[in-house]
Each structure stands twice: as structure tokens, then as C-alpha cells.
Amino acid sequence: MTPAPQQMPHAEGVSDEEFRAAMARLAAGVVLVTAHDAEESARGEDVGMTATAFMSVSLEPPLVLISVRTDSRMDELLTRQDLWAVSLLTDAQHKTAGRFAMKARLSDRLLFKELPHRHGAATGAPLVDDALAAIECRTEQRVAAGDHTLVIGRVLATHLTQGEGGPLTYFQGRYRSLR
Ligand SMILES: Cc1cc2nc3c(=O)[nH]c(=O)nc-3n(C[C@H](O)[C@H](O)[C@H](O)COP(=O)(O)O)c2cc1C
């Protein structure tokens, strides 16, 4: 019997399933990557994407990195403009994470309507109220990596917000709280 495509080993010997199962055991903090699409056809729409692939890269200069799936809405937007932000979500914000991870969602405009936020002065990107922190960035480098693009950003501003509670984490396919 031919194995299902996701179970087929790659040339290097690991199937998608094996790779996913191993990576699911890495506990990760959940962030909302955001940007303001200033293009006229977008009518100034705010865009958001739930992500765990976010990390600090360098202190001097201050750099961070996000990994964005090629052809996602955020990937397309960040090829046109270089300002974006990341909000570090609290465990009380798991519904927000779930909403901004849905592929066939109605519109980010509606989602942001129901999400308390303000726009960062450095980037114009939405910053989620009551997140643990928010970081505003300008893209410094883009690196194509398989089906994702690594976007390295210079940190323009940081905000420590009033978020109560612990970080929202993702582990073995579920949102978790450390408390
Ligand atoms: C917990 C979690 C973490 C995610 N992390 C990432 C990530 O780091 N990078 C990414 O491109 N997509 C990530 N995604 C998927 C995106 O949130 C999702 O594909 C996107 O919002 C759907 O929008 P699209 O229609 O533009 O693809 C993650 C999803 C979840 C549930």
C-alpha cells in the first residue's frame, strides 16, 4: 500500500508526520504578528497572524526574527512594506490567537474591531491591549527558507503593557497556561 503523502519520507528520511510530532514537543510562546496595510486598495486594513516562530536574534543591534509561511496574507504584505509589530499574548488571549490562526476567516478588519488595540507610533501596526509586551520592527533582511520566509526585523520600539497573568503557550497541539 502506498503511504499517505504526509507519511512519505523525504529524501533525507523524515516524514512530515515525524517532523511535526517532534516539533510539537517544543513548548512555544504565542505572539500576534501585525501590520497596517496602507495601500489604497486595502483601505488601511490592519492584518494579524498568530505565530510561534518568533525569537530574539541580536542585542547590538536589537534584532528579532519571525518565520512567515510563503503565500500567507502576512507574507504578501511584508513583501510590500517593511513595518510590523509583535504582541506577546497572555493566556487570557487564547481566543484571539485562535481567531487569527484561521485560514478562511472573514476579515481581519472585523477581528480587529472586536480586539482592543492601539496603533504603534513607530510602525502604525496594531498593538494588542493587555498583551505582555509589544515590539515594533522594521524589516532588515528577508531569507527564503523552504515554504517559509524568515523576516529579520530591527527593533524600533518596545512596550511593556499591563497584561495580567502568564504567557500563552502552545504545546502538543494545544494552547496552554503556565499557571
Ligand atoms: C499556535 C500556532 C502557531 C503558528 N505559528 C505560525 C508561524 O510561526 N508562522 C506562520 O507563518 N504561521 C503560523 N501559524 C499559522 C497562521 O497563524 C495561519 O496560517 C494564518 O493566520 C492563516 O492566514 P493565511 O490565510 O494568510 O494563511 C500558526 C498557527 C497556530 C495555531
Side-chain angles (χ1 to χ4, degrees):
M1 207 172 83
T2 315
Q6 69 273 19
Q7 290 169 341
M8 300 261 276
H10 293 295
E12 293 80 7
V14 64
S15 67
D16 291 2
E17 206 170 54
E18 287 169 326
F19 180 45
R20 282 208 186 98
M23 292 308 297
R25 296 183 176 203
L26 177 66
V30 182
V31 304
L32 188 68
V33 180
T34 58
H36 182 75
D37 190 346
E39 204 161 87
E40 214 172 310
S41 59
R43 289 178 294 139
E45 191 173 42
D46 290 329
V47 175
M49 186 191 83
T50 300
T52 48
F54 168 67
M55 64 183 283
S56 165
V57 171
S58 160
L59 188 58
E60 187 49 56
L63 299 174
V64 294
L65 174 153
I66 50 173
S67 177
V68 181
R69 187 174 51 76
T70 315
D71 298 333
S72 61
R73 174 89 200 273
M74 189 58 74
D75 179 57
E76 188 278 322
L77 176 52
L78 295 187
T79 57
R80 288 190 276 115
Q81 62 148 55
D82 58 4
L83 295 174
W84 45 278
V86 166
S87 294
L88 278 54
L89 300 181
T90 70
D91 50 14
Q93 294 170 326
H94 60 94
K95 282 190 183 143
T96 297
R99 285 178 189 141
F100 282 95
M102 287 188 307
K103 251 198 98 50
R105 55 182 180 264
L106 276 177
S107 91
D108 283 18
R109 188 183 298 276
L110 291 179
L111 292 185
F112 276 108
K113 227 177 194 173
E114 291 177 5
L115 178 67
H117 67 280
R118 65 218 179 277
H119 289 93
T123 59
L127 312 179
V128 180
D129 287 354
D130 299 329
L132 292 170
I135 300 171
E136 296 188 83
C137 306
R138 172 182 286 118
T139 301
E140 192 133 309
Q141 204 180 331
R142 292 170 55 85
V143 181
D147 54 12
H148 280 59
T149 304
L150 307 181
V151 183
I152 298 172
R154 166 76 68 118
V155 176
L156 305 176
T158 61
H159 310 268
L160 295 182
T161 39
Q162 302 300 314
E164 284 188 16
L168 179 62
T169 57
Y170 196 73
F171 177 63
Q172 295 215 319
R174 275 180 46 202
Y175 293 108
R176 317 257 180 174
S177 163
L178 289 186
R179 291 184 290 178

